[in-house]
Amino acid sequence: MAVTLRPPQGGARIPFIAGNWKMNLDHLQAIAFVQKLAWALADAKHDFADAEVAVFPPFTDLRSVQTLVTADSLPIGYGAQDVSAHDSGAYTGEISGAFLAQLDCAYAIIGHSERRTLHGETDADVNSKVLAAHRHGIVPVVCVGETADDLEAHGPSAVPVAQLRAALDGVDGSKGLVVAYEPVWAIGSGQAAIPEQAEQVCAALRALIGELLGDEAATATRILYGGSVTAANIASFLREPNVDGALVGGASLDIDEFSSIVRFKKHVGT
Ligand SMILES: O=C[C@H](O)COP(=O)(O)O
């Protein structure tokens, strides 16, 4: 029987380590990777109460990952890297949240900076996609973050906060939400943010969630840091009280590196 991983509803936030594979690994490679990741975490006696783990493969891998995870009852979640704002119709190349729900995708990344920059996604598009994910019971992983120019002009928090405010317009806070703060200049650059800066922005994002969706949502929402996360720097981010995990790109493609990131324990309240 499949292990269905869903984010906690209220109460303590279980740290979340999410691997965004971007356009890497075909469906055969995905099966091998997920199986090996499960073995590596089992060998290390990883306790999934310490950190939830999910991978975000390309769309074409999702059915294979679902089959493996279901057949072997692997405690690894998975999600999509995007979702259409529309549920069906003449939208060539798009993938409906209804289809993702049929594949038991728990999550969908929405508004990644590569979608915003390379595909012209606007804040309004991101908001429509968040609403679409919720229509199908999928928890959106909403990505926000400032460019280097934004940072210089406005400081670190202004743009991510404005992006999240737009993304959450009309959103029902009880339907589940993960936010990923990813400074654009830190993505794939090898230059991660300073943890104190990540904390400052994540705290501002949590305050905004409280303002828009209420205290319960602010308490329950996992806010991740993303941008050049590695096994060597994960500890410094998870030490911060408002950073509940990581959205990992490049390092999520290396089983040893990714499982080391997953296995780092966040000491909640210490
Ligand atoms: O979605 C993941 C982010 O874009 C971070 O990527 P990165 O870890 O390769 O910097």
Side-chain angles (χ1 to χ4, degrees), residues 131-153:
L131 295 170
H134 276 172
R135 281 199 298 279
H136 298 287
I138 294 166
V139 173
V141 180
V142 179
C143 298
V144 296
E146 82 287 0
T147 64
D149 287 347
D150 295 332
L151 180 64
E152 204 176 314

Side-chain angles (χ1 to χ4, degrees), residues 162-204:
Q163 288 175 335
L164 188 61
R165 184 180 290 280
L168 297 184
D169 188 27
V171 164
D172 177 348
S174 71
K175 294 196 166 178
L177 175 69
V178 175
V179 173
Y181 167 52
E182 298 207 306
V184 178
W185 48 268
I187 294 175
S189 66
Q191 190 198 342
I194 297 165
E196 291 75 12
Q197 179 191 318
E199 167 61 17
Q200 181 192 334
V201 178
C202 291

Side-chain angles (χ1 to χ4, degrees), residues 18 20 22 109 112-114 143 182 186-190 226-229 247-252:
N20 177 10
K22 307 192 179 184
I109 294 173
H112 190 281
S113 72
E114 287 148 19
C143 298
E182 298 207 306
I187 294 175
S189 66
S228 297
V229 169
L247 181 56
V248 186
S252 75

